[in-house]
Amino acid sequence: MFYHRKELFRPVSVGTPDAQFGQYLLEQFGGATGELTAALQYWVQSFHVENAAIRDMLQDIAIEEFNHLEMVGKLIAQHTAKIDQTDVYDAPLFQIKGGGPHFLDSSGSAWTATYIQEGGNVVRDLRANISSEAGARQTYESLIKRTKDEGTKAALVHLLTREITHANMFMKALDAMGKLEDPYFGNVPPDDTVDIVFNLSAGEDSRGPWNEKPFRYIENPQPQGGFPPPPVNPDDEKAKLTGVKKVAAAAE
Ligand code: MN
Ligand code: MN
């Protein structure tokens, strides 16, 4: 059951409307890291997660994200309530589509379901969610740096804070499954290269725990695959080249 209350989850009060900033805010309404993406991602994940406690968490956070979507929408509506001709070059999206939020990002690209990461396995879902929260937090930080309006800033700092809380919840859920530090999940066992790491960018190398023991570090990786068979293409041009010779590889 969905039941909407008209009061906002948290206060949203814009002091000085700024249509251009309203356009930036679209990033968190109809953009990849935005609240619609988060709300729909966690909500749809809840349909295929068997664990009741994690399903409950996903539903709680999904609905909080819908609250955030409403707050960002109200911010955009207040920032674009008065667009006169002087703002036309600053906020062209609102001149064309009218004031208020639209499911576009700050560049005018339409929201797309390809932003949503979900499916198959709850570990995959929760790891994707940590990434989503990181993206949302970073976008909010960029937005906070671009506004001087105190009311806007207060709302955005709250929204940024909540994304940190959500990331923490998803990390705790993975930890409770023993999957925060264990990269393996699912039902297909890895092959014997699972502990091998390659040095594939030469010059001024740096090492860290990601390529020290118990990892097996390959300092000078060599190709293991041999030469692949040449392509077979019945439609390709069959003309013979003149002046072509095979040359032995130069010794190093
Ligand atoms: Mn949010
Ligand atoms: Mn969140």
Side-chain angles (χ1 to χ4, degrees):
M1 183 186 84
F2 281 88
Y3 181 89
H4 181 255
R5 290 185 57 163
K6 294 174 185 63
E7 307 98 305
L8 291 174
F9 196 59
R10 296 272 303 188
V12 167
S13 174
V14 171
T16 309
D18 174 350
Q20 187 180 36
F21 190 72
Q23 184 163 333
Y24 296 147
L25 280 171
L26 285 173
E27 200 63 27
Q28 284 304 91
F29 194 82
T33 63
E35 300 294 350
L36 182 68
T37 305
L40 293 179
Q41 178 166 310
Y42 308 152
W43 188 55
V44 78
Q45 286 173 354
S46 77
F47 284 77
H48 62 245
V49 166
E50 284 191 4
N51 184 285
I54 291 175
R55 194 166 62 243
D56 193 354
M57 174 188 70
L58 289 166
Q59 290 169 346
D60 284 337
I61 300 178
I63 302 306
E64 184 175 350
E65 306 292 16
F66 278 111
N67 282 291
H68 294 176
L69 182 68
E70 187 174 36
M71 287 173 65
V72 174
K74 295 296 179 188
L75 277 173
I76 294 167
Q78 291 179 35
H79 273 291
T80 61
K82 289 178 244 151
I83 310 173
D84 59 31
Q85 284 302 309
T86 57
D87 287 332
V88 66
Y89 298 110
D90 292 338
L93 294 179
F94 299 107
Q95 283 291 332
I96 301 299
K97 290 206 54 124
H102 310 287
F103 285 121
L104 305 171
D105 70 12
S106 57
S107 309
S109 297
W111 185 86
T112 162
T114 56
Y115 295 155
I116 292 177
Q117 288 217 49
E118 57 86 20
N121 184 295
V122 66
V123 175
R124 175 253 165 96
D125 285 349
L126 292 172
R127 289 182 180 174
N129 297 354
I130 293 170
S131 158
S132 301
E133 296 293 340
R137 197 219 65 84
Q138 191 61 23
T139 305
Y140 280 124
E141 178 161 330
S142 302
L143 290 166
I144 288 163
K145 285 178 183 161
R146 280 183 167 270
T147 184
K148 292 191 172 65
D149 183 72
E150 289 305 321
T152 302
K153 208 171 262 188
L156 295 179
V157 168
H158 171 74
L159 294 167
L160 174 146
T161 302
R162 298 307 301 162
E163 314 311 14
I164 295 167
T165 306
H166 296 163
N168 197 2
M169 293 167 78
F170 293 134
M171 290 166 79
K172 286 281 188 292
L174 281 166
D175 200 23
M177 277 186 276
K179 290 300 175 188
L180 185 60
E181 302 206 354
D182 177 8
Y184 172 76
F185 69 98
N187 298 306
V188 178
D191 70 19
D192 59 5
T193 67
V194 71
D195 61 344
I196 292 178
V197 294
F198 300 109
N199 176 35
L200 285 164
S201 175
E204 297 187 5
D205 291 332
S206 300
R207 300 283 299 272
W210 49 85
N211 58 19
E212 288 165 352
K213 281 190 167 58
F215 286 107
R216 287 186 285 157
Y217 183 72
I218 310 293
E219 176 90 47
N220 293 303
Q222 298 300 316
Q224 306 288 310
F227 290 103
V232 176
N233 179 356
D235 295 329
D236 202 8
E237 184 60 42
K238 306 296 183 209
K240 287 246 181 322
L241 298 182
T242 55
V244 175
K245 295 190 271 291
K246 268 204 170 160
V247 181
E252 285 189 10

